[in-house]
Amino acid sequence: MSIFYKIFVSFLVFGMKIGVFFSSKIRKGVEGRRKSFSIVQEKLKNQKVIWMHASSLGEYEQGLPVLEKLKKEYPDYKILVTFFSPSGHENVIKKQNIADAVCYLPFDKKSTIQEFISQFDTKIFFTIKYDFWYHLLRELHRNGTKVFVVSALFYEKQIFFKPWGKWFVCNLKENIDWFFHQTSHSMQLAKEIGLVKSSVSGDTRFDRVKQIRKQNIFIPFIDEFKEDKTLIVFGSSWESEENIAKTIYENTLDVKIIIAPHSLKRVESLKKIFPEALLYSEISSYPSIEIQKSRILIVDSIGLLSKLYSYGDAAVIGGGFHSAGLHNILEAAVFSIPIIFGNHYKKNPEADALISCGGGRSFPDEHSAAVFVLNLIQDKELLSKMSQNAEKFIFSQPNATQIVINKILELMEK
């Protein structure tokens, strides 16, 4: 079956090279990979390295608490972070981070991977969730690297549970030293296919959002905009969530609304839907009285969303009504506010857990979600109860990072 994997990778490479003519995102990924070798040669040549691979920005945030702890345990090791997607790479390189080197993961061809990892001495490698690459895992193991999966998440429809996926399961079994699972269900599925070197650690994203809550979360002008009104934050919104915002805006005067779209490309559409809205990038130019009177604010700047939730009384999280899937609900829930979202979240076990504890609600359509939010605004008792439940949900979770670190140190000593 490895021949089919080689064909798959070849088609992936070919497809991305064609895609550069049609997508700026793909172009960044292809061009960025050309620089990966020079980056590690310059910054990591012959160094001992802790290497974290994350598919995208969400997985990076998920793995960051573990990476920070490992750096404290091994202060003399260099840190490498690789990404598959530009959305992770482009965000991380623009701000201060823990890594000594950040680059794209080269395409998973045997000779390419061998040349890449030969530039430095990887002592610890971990990937996040389920981003597995055949030759990468195999060559790391052959070089004596300890290999881990953090916040692993297995589900029934993955290739590993199909007859033609058994050869890849063998790769995981031979080359990964330990799986740290988000849930007991994930661990049980993994054990059913022979991946027994595993334990349930929980989701490290809970540790990450708790870190964010302790940081400086002040954003200029937001208190002035909110005043003493109820504030609903629409985070990572798509068109469906923006329709909900429009319904709320048209049916009550007692609420302030902040919309932070999932892509800044949606700002122009939002300006047409809400022509009277303020833009955050221009807010300093508005008189105070206009900021206070305005009922809706469009956030056309990146990097503010996790802090914005701290000002909200409830949050509507994007993606749940869209095939793209639900965005991060934990970075809102950590601020003890009710979370509302669509019901497309099969890869988000935390969504079911938040609903079960009464801190969140999901809906099959925009109308029912909007009706619920309008009721929530008026029902202060329900708003308070859901807020308390969201807080209990977040802070009842185990310290997944420390569980992971303790086991890694144990295995490293062996």
Side-chain angles (χ1 to χ4, degrees), residues 178-347:
W178 204 262
F179 292 86
F180 297 98
H181 291 276
Q182 292 187 41
T183 67
S184 57
H185 180 65
S186 175
M187 185 176 73
Q188 182 59 40
L189 288 174
K191 288 188 173 182
E192 287 175 5
I193 54 175
L195 303 177
V196 297
K197 293 183 290 186
S198 62
S199 57
V200 178
S201 61
D203 190 344
T204 52
R205 284 181 300 172
F206 288 96
D207 303 325
R208 178 59 180 155
V209 296
K210 290 173 189 175
Q211 287 178 343
I212 292 172
R213 177 165 169 154
K214 294 177 181 178
Q215 296 171 359
N216 178 12
I217 53 178
F218 172 74
I219 302 178
F221 302 105
I222 301 301
D223 278 323
E224 191 174 358
F225 168 75
K226 180 179 179 179
E227 293 189 295
D228 58 351
K229 299 289 182 67
T230 300
L231 173 63
I232 310 296
V233 179
F234 288 78
S236 302
S237 66
W238 292 70
E239 185 177 358
S240 294
E241 290 78 28
E242 291 151 14
N243 289 337
I244 296 171
K246 188 172 187 292
T247 299
I248 294 168
Y249 184 76
E250 292 174 345
N251 284 277
T252 179
L253 298 174
D254 297 329
V255 172
K256 295 289 186 92
I257 294 172
I258 292 179
I259 303 178
H262 81 278
S263 168
L264 295 185
K265 293 179 181 179
R266 290 210 54 78
V267 171
E268 287 303 315
S269 298
L270 283 168
K271 286 167 64 178
K272 292 177 181 177
I273 299 170
F274 303 102
E276 64 279 34
L278 304 184
L279 293 178
Y280 187 77
S281 63
E282 301 173 357
I283 198 168
S284 61
S285 65
Y286 296 110
S288 289
I289 188 66
E290 189 171 348
I291 295 173
Q292 293 165 3
K293 284 185 176 180
S294 180
R295 294 172 50 214
I296 189 160
L297 175 65
I298 298 170
V299 179
D300 56 342
S301 307
I302 62 172
L304 297 178
L305 182 55
S306 61
K307 294 181 179 181
L308 281 169
Y309 289 129
S310 68
Y311 294 87
D313 295 288
V316 178
I317 309 299
F321 297 102
H322 192 275
S323 59
L326 183 63
H327 290 272
N328 191 341
I329 63 173
L330 300 182
E331 61 183 10
V334 75
F335 291 107
S336 309
I337 58 176
I339 312 299
I340 295 91
F341 46 92
N343 62 359
H344 292 267
Y345 59 85
K346 64 179 180 179
K347 297 180 183 179

Side-chain angles (χ1 to χ4, degrees), residues 104-120:
Y104 287 94
L105 180 71
F107 292 117
D108 198 47
K109 295 183 176 181
K110 183 177 180 180
S111 58
T112 305
I113 291 297
Q114 286 178 334
E115 182 182 357
F116 184 75
I117 68 176
S118 69
Q119 306 300 316
F120 45 90

Side-chain angles (χ1 to χ4, degrees), residues 65-109:
V66 174
L67 192 61
E68 291 172 338
K69 287 273 191 179
L70 285 174
K71 179 61 177 178
K72 290 180 180 179
E73 295 290 340
Y74 301 97
D76 297 332
Y77 289 9
K78 297 291 186 181
I79 300 295
L80 169 63
V81 175
T82 58
F83 290 97
F84 184 82
S85 166
S87 63
H89 180 271
E90 296 299 308
N91 276 280
V92 171
I93 62 172
K94 290 177 181 176
K95 56 187 178 183
Q96 187 176 8
N97 62 79
I98 190 176
D100 297 288
V102 179
C103 65
Y104 287 94
L105 180 71
F107 292 117
D108 198 47
K109 295 183 176 181

